[in-house]
Amino acid sequence: MPELPEVECIAAALRQGKEGQPPLTGKAILGARLLWPRTLQEPSPAEFAARIAGQVIRQIGRRGKYLIFTLDEVTLLIHLRMSGDLWVEAVDAPVAVHHRLLLDLEGGLRLAFNDTRKFGRAWLVDDPQSVLGGLGREPLEDDLTPQELAAMLRARRRQLKPLLLDQSFLAGLGNIYTDEALYRARLHPLIQSDELSYFQAAALHRAIREVLLEGIRRNGASIDWVYRGGEFQNYFQVYRRDGKPCRTCGASIQRITLGQRGTHFCPVCQPKG
DNA sequence: ACGAGCGCCTGTCGGC
DNA sequence: TGCCGACAGGCGCTCG
């Protein structure tokens, strides 16, 4: 589920707190309970429990779609994949069905990794780069210029949509924000990356930034039971709008399957040529 | 280097 | 009502 904007909003809420929920920075982790073993990618459950106990959460950040908890001596990384979420609750609250990993915190709190589909993963590592090292550039960083993105696109020969979903190219875009960005840039998802003009690459650069910033501003996108409190789903232009009229030209939004992912676009506003 | 297909999982929805 | 397939915010792995 969560793409860059949702992960950013989750990180911010844990870092700063929100209504009825205190910030987690500065809190000590007292212990861990692993309920679904495969959720923990690294290290072994025993080593995880031993190493995380007593660590204080110093910083909470994000890189791509990963949440980063900087502790005293180790780093906890969490990837929510399709259906993961983090809940802050009372340490004695009943354990919800889809909780996979519990971290008991000081102050009577518990951080729960809830993940219906069990695709989510957690790592406890000495060096976060061992997990994050393969990620591409952060799309919202100011030093990623339109010129640079244009050069990156030219250096590859791939269909735009799969390339934008490739986390080693840009870190953080997923299926929703990619479709929405391509729509805003008026680019067909199947265009070859090395065939874009500089003007088109610059339009894509701007579209990606705008769509991610709007997602963050609207507190992310909530669909079905996954991720709550977001509003961006009410502003989708193409995602899951197949058969509905394009808000720009009225043409019927199309859906194709690309790399096993639903892909939505306006055949008039996003021509191939 | 790139694309396609599958596996990992649970849940929802529409059609028959 | 029940069953069955399609589909769902991701990604790692194979195989051409």
Side-chain angles (χ1 to χ4, degrees):
Chain A
M1 134 246 182
E3 307 181 28
L4 187 154
E6 290 77 31
V7 178
E8 181 65 33
C9 290
I10 290 169
L14 297 176
R15 185 168 55 232
Q16 301 153 16
K18 53 180 187 185
E19 336 81 66
Q21 187 183 302
L24 297 192
T25 39
K27 299 230 176 286
I29 299 171
L30 304 179
R33 198 148 42 118
L34 181 61
L35 304 172
W36 180 256
R38 297 191 60 162
T39 295
L40 182 60
Q41 186 82 17
E42 183 189 342
S44 69
E47 193 182 337
F48 179 84
R51 294 199 73 187
I52 206 165
Q55 296 283 309
V56 174
I57 301 172
R58 297 300 178 187
Q59 277 182 273
I60 301 174
R62 176 195 63 76
R63 171 84 169 95
K65 301 174 195 170
Y66 289 81
L67 285 154
I68 306 176
F69 297 81
T70 305
L71 312 179
D72 290 316
E73 292 159 344
V74 273
T75 303
L76 172 67
L77 301 171
I78 293 183
H79 196 306
L80 303 169
R81 293 279 182 97
M82 289 288 265
S83 60
D85 200 0
L86 290 175
W87 301 11
V88 178
E89 54 196 18
V91 72
D92 55 357
V95 175
V97 208
H98 301 303
H99 278 2
R100 310 300 179 199
L101 175 64
L102 307 177
L103 297 178
D104 289 348
L105 308 176
E106 64 177 315
L109 294 173
R110 185 168 75 196
L111 179 63
F113 186 1
N114 183 278
D115 183 20
T116 303
R117 292 180 69 182
K118 300 177 175 172
F119 291 163
R121 293 291 181 264
W123 297 253
L124 190 68
V125 292
D126 291 312
D127 176 14
Q129 280 304 106
S130 66
V131 177
L132 307 176
L135 292 177
R137 302 287 297 273
E138 279 291 321
L140 287 180
E141 255 176 23
D142 289 332
D143 62 0
L144 178 65
T145 61
Q147 289 81 2
E148 248 178 308
L149 182 66
M152 288 161 59
L153 290 160
R154 250 183 282 118
R156 307 288 216 101
R157 182 173 184 79
R158 288 185 70 182
Q159 298 165 333
L160 279 183
K161 166 125 186 201
L163 182 57
L164 294 177
L165 287 176
D166 183 341
Q167 302 298 297
S168 69
F169 183 74
L170 285 178
L173 288 170
N175 210 31
I176 293 177
Y177 291 91
T178 299
D179 280 3
E180 294 295 322
L182 288 171
Y183 174 78
R184 289 197 193 204
R186 305 180 63 93
L187 294 170
H188 193 285
L190 290 175
I191 296 175
Q192 295 289 318
S193 59
D194 62 343
E195 288 171 7
L196 290 191
S197 66
Y198 174 72
F199 179 83
Q200 289 175 312
L204 181 57
H205 178 269
R206 184 155 54 118
I208 290 170
R209 294 179 57 90
E210 284 178 358
V211 113
L212 293 175
L213 288 171
E214 182 178 354
I216 293 171
R217 184 159 52 83
R218 300 202 185 278
N219 195 27
S222 305
I223 303 176
D224 301 335
W225 75 94
V226 186
Y227 185 79
R228 285 140 314 151
E231 291 296 326
F232 189 54
Q233 69 279 7
N234 300 321
Y235 300 87
F236 291 165
Q237 302 297 306
V238 287
Y239 184 76
R240 289 219 210 170
R241 290 196 66 244
D242 39 306
K244 301 204 169 102
C246 169
R247 299 200 211 273
T248 302
C249 75
S252 182
I253 299 299
Q254 304 288 297
R255 178 189 187 280
I256 59 173
T257 300
L258 238 179
Q260 317 299 115
R261 314 301 299 278
T263 297
H264 315 76
F265 64 99
C266 171
V268 175
C269 293
Q270 297 167 263
K272 246 179 148 171

